[in-house]
Amino acid sequence: MRLDKFLKISRLIKRRTLAKEVADQGRITINGKQAKASSNVAIGDELAIRFGQKLVTIEIAALRETVKKDEAQELYKVIKEEKIGN
């Protein structure tokens, strides 16, 4: 599954176009490597996403084409959240 689609379905980022912009800005890594919006993700991959002053690291637990809002968090597991910057 494409990275931008996973981020939208998992509701980590609300819109796919926004997910593409974040990836194009170099703020997402997959298993330590720089990711593009078109990068493929698989179960067990570790994503690090920089949201402003926060770095969120998650592990992909499941991949589905569609998911209900209350089940979206089942697609990933938060490993750590840390503040970055000054």
Side-chain angles (χ1 to χ4, degrees), residues 17-34:
T17 52
L18 187 59
K20 182 183 182 319
E21 286 175 23
V22 171
D24 290 345
Q25 291 170 0
R27 292 171 27 192
I28 302 175
T29 60
I30 301 174
N31 299 326
K33 295 188 181 110
Q34 198 70 41

Side-chain angles (χ1 to χ4, degrees), residues 50-54 82-86:
R50 191 162 43 91
F51 294 106
Q53 298 301 311
K54 193 165 72 168
E82 53 191 328
K83 285 190 184 276
I84 54 174
N86 41 356

